[in-house]
Amino acid sequence: MPFPRRKPARIALELLDCIDARNGEASKWDLIKVVGTESQFRYWIEEFLLEGKFVEEHRKSNHYFYRKTEAGELLHKLLENGKIMHAFLKVSGKRLRRD
């Protein structure tokens, strides 16, 4: 049975939760397990979270680790409170959208 598709806000929340669950610093492998593949990791981490400065990358020997920035902390709080994100998405178009 296939798994239901996760919404982007859910994936971002799970990535940030993963960092918190590992004492504020998750390895590349920890995050790949959340998104499923290396290409999804590149999309989510490199093209979204790193580029938006929500997380920062650092290297210890030959391993990469990721931790949240101040902006990442704020994004995490917004994602945890789904009502705020839902309201923001609702008004982000040209006109107020109906559910």
Side-chain angles (χ1 to χ4, degrees), residues 9-47:
R10 183 77 181 135
I11 295 168
L13 179 60
E14 288 176 11
L15 287 165
L16 297 171
D17 283 344
C18 178
I19 293 171
D20 276 357
R22 286 161 180 76
N23 296 321
E25 185 175 89
S27 70
K28 180 177 180 179
W29 178 243
D30 293 329
L31 299 175
I32 287 174
K33 288 190 287 185
V34 172
V35 293
T37 65
E38 180 118 13
S39 65
Q40 285 295 304
F41 171 85
R42 280 192 299 277
Y43 174 77
W44 279 98
I45 301 300
E46 294 173 9
E47 295 177 22

Side-chain angles (χ1 to χ4, degrees), residues 15-16 44-45 47-55 75:
L15 287 165
L16 297 171
W44 279 98
I45 301 300
E47 295 177 22
F48 175 59
L49 293 175
L50 280 171
E51 195 172 296
K53 299 190 187 320
F54 297 110
V55 299
L75 176 63

